[in-house]
Amino acid sequence: MSESKFATKTNAGNFFEDYQVGQIIHHAVPRTVSGGERSLYHMLYPARHALHSSDAFAQSCGLTASPLDDMIAFHIVFGKSVPDISLNAVANLGYADCRWMGSVWAGDTIRSSSEVIGLKQNSNGKSGVVYVRTTGTNQNGVVVMQFVRWVMVRKADLSAPAPETVIPDLIGAVDPSDLVIPDGLDFNNYDFTLAGETHRLGDYKVGEFIDHVDGVTIEEAEHMMATRLWQNTAKVHFDVTSRPDGKRLIYGGHVMSMARALTFNGLANAQIMVAINGGAHANPCFAGDTVRAWSEVLDTADTSAPGVGAIRLRLVATKGGKVGALKGDDGKYLPEVLLDLDYWALMPV
Amino acid sequence: MSESKFATKTNAGNFFEDYQVGQIIHHAVPRTVSGGERSLYHMLYPARHALHSSDAFAQSCGLTASPLDDMIAFHIVFGKSVPDISLNAVANLGYADCRWMGSVWAGDTIRSSSEVIGLKQNSNGKSGVVYVRTTGTNQNGVVVMQFVRWVMVRKADLSAPAPETVIPDLIGAVDPSDLVIPDGLDFNNYDFTLAGETHRLGDYKVGEFIDHVDGVTIEEAEHMMATRLWQNTAKVHFDVTSRPDGKRLIYGGHVMSMARALTFNGLANAQIMVAINGGAHANPCFAGDTVRAWSEVLDTADTSAPGVGAIRLRLVATKGGKVGALKGDDGKYLPEVLLDLDYWALMPV
Amino acid sequence: MSESKFATKTNAGNFFEDYQVGQIIHHAVPRTVSGGERSLYHMLYPARHALHSSDAFAQSCGLTASPLDDMIAFHIVFGKSVPDISLNAVANLGYADCRWMGSVWAGDTIRSSSEVIGLKQNSNGKSGVVYVRTTGTNQNGVVVMQFVRWVMVRKADLSAPAPETVIPDLIGAVDPSDLVIPDGLDFNNYDFTLAGETHRLGDYKVGEFIDHVDGVTIEEAEHMMATRLWQNTAKVHFDVTSRPDGKRLIYGGHVMSMARALTFNGLANAQIMVAINGGAHANPCFAGDTVRAWSEVLDTADTSAPGVGAIRLRLVATKGGKVGALKGDDGKYLPEVLLDLDYWALMPV
């Protein structure tokens, strides 16, 4: 459609040759959030972590009120970057060094910007990989989150010269000492009964697997509303004419939020997401799929906050696979695996 | 799934032998509500009772603002009890003595607890009936509502001894003198034009039937979002693999809210639900069903509040039945009847 | 159903012979809005105009905060009029002289009333055209919007005498000098980067067409929730048994909001709707249709507010037609055209 003579005023998105290392892109349409977004998050996902559900519970943990779910900040900051970064993306290749750095509260206005930190043209000369560090900021200029992602973007002008290859140094996992703990967080008076489970950090062993048991069958209306709520308007999620198979591709972040909410059953005390070390959308998800989740404990760590520890988890979303089954003998993700996410969460010690 | 070796940290729910009379169970995950929940209620149900729609109207009735819909409190308090009371329930057998005792306002945090008030093992030794009184409380410790329900729960350990049978004394209907009227409620300046109908309490006759005319065809996305919003995560509502027929069972409370909202047409002035005397989910409801409703006037009463009367109604939700048709010659509910609810509401005299 | 012996308390709506020129009808059920309605609007439509998304952006334009989307006011005021004006309507014939006159903010309570300004019985004696001017007012009595619409309504009593024919003088388009600019609006410090596009009023030429590129495939759950949210309960939108074809007709206002939201791509700076000059729902829309939009620039004008201009646009929603294709050789709308709307919006000069 971008070839239409009537499309001169519309955004055709950026192509590989439009990016330069060091370039800073200010994404459009800041967004003010309220209790409305909080209630919608509970309507769209089976989210039950107490700290994001109850002001009183959050106050008993040293916070002034219940902050919005961590994934709300992720979705808003990510969604704003779509028109500038991934409108012409062939593939989302990966995430790294994602850290939540400040809570988001009802009334905050979030904006988003990205710095191009790496470029590598593909050998076919038709596309290339763009690495960006995307930052979300609130109305006071405080950074609320940051992440690196890299996407494969096609070239519009195949004769454009290849840029110098720059591949950023990406950390494998966020060091626990670099996790940002919300101001005032204190789990010494943590109420395990109200939180829903008795397991504290010391009860989890590295290498342990957890079956989160519950499944949710996904509807078209739900994933479209969830994706639209964060102003992510990539057409493959909304328009049945945009793919040859007539299916609407479900936004990968919808699967992330669904899987994270399902972890309540077994990880009710992993209250706050503080970092994503890496992640892959292993296979596409479509309406009618029943999403399930399992977790593997990868690591644990102390933090400087009273009573607060950190747990590193692999979160795997499937449409029906076995707990622990991730890749085949060929090293590729099994066809029923939807998401493989590696993250840090805060939990009472 | 609870047999999985990976499920040691997940909640397998309680079984019949786990309950003892006198036991108090504090349900997890308190919930703070806002204007968001109020707007969602209007999106999910055709709710038009003016007192729950307009601050200005509520203020003209002596309240400080428009309280959240009464059924929101019911759903939250009920939903929190599901993981502890009905996860292994074979059947929801009944409700009694449900009373709203304090309004819920935007900003309130609701928690829920249940006392076991009766137990009766079935003669087959494989299950039993558990009676609980469930109480919802706000952040100030004020009771906002209370109800008794009883469910049939299976035993996990068939060799566990039968408990002493205790069957609580359940009242048949709440006495009008026990209805709790919201502080300050005054219908002397009631605006019948803004409320939508001219009929006052005196215009309704005991034995009168009202056809509420409108019907709503239910979609999967809607009932799942409604149920999830109240953090009720019973898997039969969400997971197509959880029943042999591959259907998602609609949460009975969704039918209650839908039917109550439909009563606006004919009972626009039955503004506030104050008690449920009893109720039965007569037949399951599935997506694609078109829900309709009719009411029968069972009783009327005075209250101590100025201009405020009480009306006792039978509310019947159907998927297409005739007004007044409830049970067959065999004494069983007709197959098209979904809900048979007996409740008290407040109405201008 | 209105013939039911049990329907004596329900609203059967007004028939043609019930209206008199000069009659004022106060519509029921005032509605208080909050941040919840704002978040829902973003969930239901791909709305990205920055002034309705961000308090900070609105403040940079001289407003105290971000007002609710203009179409929210339209839907609420319109929805309230349905039970009194269009319950027995055979057809919605047109709109004229629709003007937004005051912003709606979270916390406001909106009510609606209509004055009958014209009547013309049809020559068949079975129906007639009713012209009303509908006005929305906030809790302080300030008019927030006003529009004229005319509908064809059937007679219940065919023997009722025809009223004197009164056809109101309807203006063809709102004169730009009659547009009401929100208090304090100032686009001199307008941030085009945050707004999402660089085009100012001077960049648009009368006669220019804009292809808004994106499409949204509509689901039953979404249009029902959108329509219900505004308390519009016309049964054709909700009840599959209400039409012979078993389809639920999508509320025309849902198509208006969807199309207006899609205009962001090409008209991101047409921030505020201030008038609708006329509109037609050209063909019915059903779930499964993929809604697209194009615009034609009809006029531009200055306003008295600093940096603020006005642009008059034809907004056409289609289910797949070509940009610019509106009517066939027979002068009738092409079958793929859903909406033909003529409106004024405010834009930086």
Side-chain angles (χ1 to χ4, degrees):
Chain A
M1 280 277 196
S2 60
E3 296 80 7
S4 161
K5 64 177 171 169
F6 304 123
T8 56
K9 290 230 166 35
T10 51
N11 175 24
N14 290 313
F15 294 90
F16 182 69
E17 67 270 24
D18 297 325
Y19 296 98
Q20 296 165 282
V21 171
Q23 180 184 5
I24 292 178
I25 303 170
H26 295 283
H27 306 308
V29 192
R31 169 72 171 272
T32 302
V33 292
S34 77
E37 278 76 7
R38 180 153 124 169
S39 63
L40 286 177
Y41 200 82
H42 283 102
M43 188 184 79
L44 292 164
Y45 305 106
R48 288 184 285 164
H49 288 91
L51 197 139
H52 289 303
S53 177
S54 164
D55 282 345
F57 189 92
Q59 285 155 2
S60 77
C61 298
L63 305 183
T64 52
S66 174
L68 269 68
D69 196 283
D70 313 302
M71 286 300 297
I72 292 179
F74 178 86
H75 293 310
I76 292 178
V77 174
F78 182 95
K80 307 225 153 304
S81 78
V82 166
D84 296 317
I85 305 298
S86 44
L87 210 64
N88 298 307
V90 183
N92 281 294
L93 298 174
Y95 301 99
D97 195 14
C98 169
R99 283 184 297 152
W100 281 266
M101 300 167 89
S103 299
V104 174
W105 311 93
D108 282 356
T109 300
I110 307 301
R111 43 195 286 188
S112 176
S113 65
S114 295
E115 180 181 357
V116 180
I117 60 169
L119 286 174
K120 182 177 182 306
Q121 182 166 311
N122 288 331
S123 53
N124 64 12
K126 294 180 178 171
S127 57
V129 178
V130 180
Y131 297 80
V132 294
R133 183 181 303 277
T134 299
T135 302
T137 313
N138 72 13
Q139 69 282 8
N140 302 316
V142 174
V143 173
V144 297
M145 82 176 309
Q146 220 172 48
F147 55 84
V148 172
R149 71 167 169 141
W150 54 107
V151 294
M152 191 183 299
V153 179
R154 62 189 171 96
K155 294 178 76 168
D157 173 9
L158 298 187
S159 70
E164 188 187 351
T165 294
V166 176
I167 296 181
D169 253 347
L170 293 175
I171 54 174
V174 176
D175 191 90
S177 65
D178 289 331
L179 300 175
V180 179
I181 314 296
D183 283 349
L185 191 71
D186 179 343
F187 280 162
N188 279 333
N189 298 312
Y190 192 90
D191 187 328
F192 289 87
T193 300
L194 284 183
E197 290 182 351
T198 58
H199 329 302
R200 47 179 78 236
L201 187 62
D203 296 324
Y204 291 89
K205 292 192 187 73
V206 172
E208 178 178 354
F209 286 81
I210 302 158
D211 178 356
H212 299 300
V213 177
D214 303 309
V216 173
T217 308
I218 295 191
E219 295 293 309
E220 299 283 12
E222 290 178 319
H223 78 82
M224 289 201 297
M225 288 193 291
T227 307
R228 202 184 281 130
L229 178 59
W230 316 119
Q231 298 172 314
N232 176 341
T233 57
K235 62 172 66 103
V236 288
H237 308 315
F238 299 102
D239 179 350
V240 295
T241 70
S242 67
R243 285 169 52 102
D245 63 4
K247 289 183 173 178
R248 279 163 275 184
L249 182 69
I250 293 178
Y251 162 49
H254 188 59
V255 177
M256 287 167 65
S257 275
M258 188 60 80
R260 159 70 179 160
L262 289 171
T263 65
F264 176 88
N265 203 346
L267 285 166
N269 296 318
Q271 291 284 356
I272 300 179
M273 294 179 81
V274 280
I276 294 176
N277 301 306
H281 299 296
N283 285 291
C285 183
F286 298 105
D289 289 346
T290 299
V291 175
R292 302 180 182 284
W294 54 265
S295 295
E296 179 187 357
V297 180
L298 299 179
D299 201 358
T300 61
D302 295 329
T303 80
S304 58
V308 178
I311 186 166
R312 184 177 164 196
L313 295 155
R314 160 174 276 163
L315 168 58
V316 175
T318 75
K319 45 181 180 179
K322 286 188 183 158
V323 174
L326 191 67
K327 293 182 177 178
D329 293 337
D330 57 2
K332 290 185 182 165
Y333 283 110
L334 295 170
E336 64 270 22
V337 172
L338 301 171
L339 172 75
D340 179 14
L341 193 75
D342 174 342
Y343 72 105
W344 283 104
L346 301 180
M347 180 181 267
V349 291
Chain B
M1 281 276 196
S2 61
E3 296 79 7
S4 161
K5 64 176 170 168
F6 303 124
T8 57
K9 290 226 165 39
T10 51
N11 174 26
N14 290 313
F15 294 90
F16 181 69
E17 66 270 23
D18 296 326
Y19 296 98
Q20 295 166 282
V21 170
Q23 181 184 4
I24 292 179
I25 302 170
H26 296 282
H27 306 307
V29 191
R31 170 72 170 272
T32 303
V33 292
S34 77
E37 278 77 7
R38 178 152 126 171
S39 63
L40 285 177
Y41 200 83
H42 282 102
M43 187 184 79
L44 292 164
Y45 305 107
R48 287 184 286 165
H49 287 92
L51 197 138
H52 290 304
S53 177
S54 164
D55 282 345
F57 190 91
Q59 285 154 3
S60 77
C61 297
L63 305 183
T64 53
S66 174
L68 269 67
D69 196 283
D70 313 301
M71 287 300 297
I72 291 179
F74 178 86
H75 293 309
I76 292 179
V77 174
F78 182 95
K80 307 228 152 302
S81 77
V82 167
D84 296 318
I85 305 299
S86 44
L87 210 63
N88 299 306
V90 183
N92 282 295
L93 298 174
Y95 301 98
D97 196 13
C98 169
R99 283 185 297 153
W100 281 267
M101 301 166 88
S103 299
V104 174
W105 310 94
D108 282 355
T109 300
I110 308 300
R111 42 195 286 188
S112 176
S113 64
S114 296
E115 180 181 359
V116 180
I117 59 170
L119 287 173
K120 182 178 183 305
Q121 184 166 311
N122 289 332
S123 53
N124 64 13
K126 295 181 178 169
S127 58
V129 178
V130 181
Y131 297 80
V132 295
R133 184 182 301 277
T134 299
T135 302
T137 314
N138 72 12
Q139 69 283 7
N140 302 316
V142 174
V143 172
V144 297
M145 82 175 309
Q146 220 171 49
F147 56 84
V148 172
R149 70 167 170 141
W150 53 107
V151 294
M152 191 183 299
V153 179
R154 60 188 173 95
K155 294 178 74 167
D157 173 10
L158 298 186
S159 71
E164 188 187 350
T165 294
V166 176
I167 296 182
D169 253 348
L170 293 176
I171 55 175
V174 177
D175 191 273
S177 65
D178 290 332
L179 300 175
V180 180
I181 314 295
D183 283 348
L185 191 71
D186 180 343
F187 281 161
N188 279 333
N189 298 311
Y190 192 90
D191 186 328
F192 289 87
T193 300
L194 284 183
E197 291 182 349
T198 57
H199 329 302
R200 47 179 77 237
L201 187 62
D203 296 323
Y204 291 88
K205 293 193 186 71
V206 172
E208 176 178 357
F209 287 81
I210 302 158
D211 178 355
H212 299 300
V213 178
D214 302 309
V216 174
T217 308
I218 296 191
E219 295 292 309
E220 300 282 12
E222 289 178 320
H223 78 81
M224 290 201 295
M225 288 192 291
T227 307
R228 201 184 281 131
L229 178 59
W230 318 118
Q231 298 173 314
N232 177 342
T233 57
K235 62 172 65 107
V236 288
H237 308 316
F238 299 102
D239 180 349
V240 293
T241 70
S242 66
R243 285 169 52 102
D245 63 4
K247 288 183 176 179
R248 279 163 276 185
L249 183 69
I250 292 178
Y251 162 49
H254 188 59
V255 178
M256 288 166 64
S257 274
M258 188 61 79
R260 159 70 178 159
L262 288 171
T263 66
F264 177 88
N265 203 347
L267 284 166
N269 297 319
Q271 291 284 357
I272 300 179
M273 295 180 80
V274 279
I276 295 175
N277 301 307
H281 300 294
N283 284 291
C285 182
F286 298 105
D289 289 348
T290 299
V291 176
R292 301 179 182 284
W294 55 266
S295 295
E296 179 187 358
V297 179
L298 299 179
D299 201 358
T300 61
D302 293 329
T303 80
S304 58
V308 179
I311 187 165
R312 184 177 164 197
L313 295 156
R314 161 173 275 162
L315 168 57
V316 175
T318 75
K319 44 181 180 179
K322 286 189 184 158
V323 174
L326 191 65
K327 294 181 178 179
D329 294 337
D330 58 2
K332 291 184 182 166
Y333 283 110
L334 295 170
E336 64 270 23
V337 173
L338 300 172
L339 171 76
D340 179 14
L341 193 76
D342 175 342
Y343 72 104
W344 283 104
L346 301 180
M347 182 181 264
V349 291
Chain C
M1 280 277 197
S2 60
E3 296 79 9
S4 162
K5 64 176 172 169
F6 304 124
T8 57
K9 291 227 165 38
T10 50
N11 175 25
N14 291 313
F15 295 91
F16 182 69
E17 66 270 24
D18 297 325
Y19 297 97
Q20 296 166 281
V21 170
Q23 182 184 2
I24 292 179
I25 303 169
H26 295 282
H27 307 306
V29 192
R31 169 74 170 272
T32 303
V33 292
S34 76
E37 278 77 7
R38 178 152 124 169
S39 63
L40 286 176
Y41 200 82
H42 282 101
M43 188 184 79
L44 292 163
Y45 305 107
R48 288 184 285 165
H49 288 91
L51 197 139
H52 290 304
S53 176
S54 164
D55 282 345
F57 189 92
Q59 285 155 2
S60 77
C61 297
L63 305 183
T64 54
S66 174
L68 269 67
D69 196 282
D70 314 301
M71 287 300 297
I72 291 180
F74 178 87
H75 293 310
I76 292 179
V77 174
F78 181 96
K80 308 228 151 301
S81 78
V82 167
D84 297 318
I85 305 299
S86 44
L87 210 63
N88 299 306
V90 184
N92 281 295
L93 298 175
Y95 301 99
D97 195 14
C98 169
R99 282 185 298 153
W100 281 266
M101 300 166 89
S103 299
V104 174
W105 310 93
D108 281 356
T109 300
I110 307 301
R111 43 194 288 187
S112 175
S113 65
S114 295
E115 180 181 359
V116 180
I117 59 169
L119 287 172
K120 180 179 185 304
Q121 183 166 311
N122 288 332
S123 53
N124 64 13
K126 295 181 177 170
S127 56
V129 178
V130 181
Y131 298 79
V132 294
R133 184 182 302 275
T134 299
T135 303
T137 314
N138 72 12
Q139 71 280 7
N140 301 317
V142 175
V143 173
V144 298
M145 81 176 308
Q146 220 172 48
F147 54 84
V148 172
R149 69 167 171 141
W150 53 107
V151 294
M152 192 183 299
V153 178
R154 59 189 173 95
K155 293 178 76 168
D157 174 8
L158 298 187
S159 70
E164 187 187 351
T165 293
V166 176
I167 296 181
D169 252 348
L170 293 176
I171 55 174
V174 177
D175 191 274
S177 65
D178 289 332
L179 300 176
V180 180
I181 314 296
D183 283 347
L185 191 71
D186 179 343
F187 281 161
N188 279 333
N189 299 310
Y190 192 89
D191 186 328
F192 288 86
T193 301
L194 284 182
E197 290 182 350
T198 56
H199 330 302
R200 46 180 78 236
L201 187 62
D203 297 323
Y204 291 88
K205 292 192 187 72
V206 172
E208 177 178 356
F209 287 82
I210 303 158
D211 177 356
H212 299 299
V213 178
D214 302 309
V216 174
T217 308
I218 295 191
E219 295 292 310
E220 300 281 13
E222 290 178 319
H223 78 81
M224 290 201 297
M225 290 193 290
T227 307
R228 202 185 279 129
L229 178 59
W230 317 118
Q231 298 173 312
N232 176 341
T233 58
K235 60 172 66 103
V236 289
H237 308 315
F238 298 103
D239 180 349
V240 294
T241 71
S242 66
R243 284 167 54 100
D245 62 4
K247 288 183 176 179
R248 280 164 274 184
L249 183 68
I250 293 178
Y251 161 49
H254 188 59
V255 178
M256 287 166 65
S257 274
M258 188 62 79
R260 159 70 179 159
L262 288 171
T263 66
F264 177 88
N265 204 348
L267 284 165
N269 297 318
Q271 291 285 355
I272 299 178
M273 294 179 81
V274 278
I276 294 176
N277 301 308
H281 299 294
N283 284 290
C285 182
F286 299 105
D289 289 348
T290 299
V291 175
R292 300 179 184 283
W294 55 265
S295 296
E296 179 186 357
V297 180
L298 299 179
D299 200 358
T300 61
D302 294 329
T303 82
S304 59
V308 179
I311 186 165
R312 184 178 165 196
L313 295 155
R314 159 173 277 164
L315 167 58
V316 176
T318 75
K319 45 181 180 179
K322 286 189 184 158
V323 175
L326 190 66
K327 293 182 178 179
D329 293 337
D330 57 2
K332 291 186 182 165
Y333 282 110
L334 296 171
E336 65 270 22
V337 172
L338 301 171
L339 171 76
D340 179 14
L341 193 75
D342 174 343
Y343 72 105
W344 282 105
L346 301 180
M347 182 181 265
V349 292

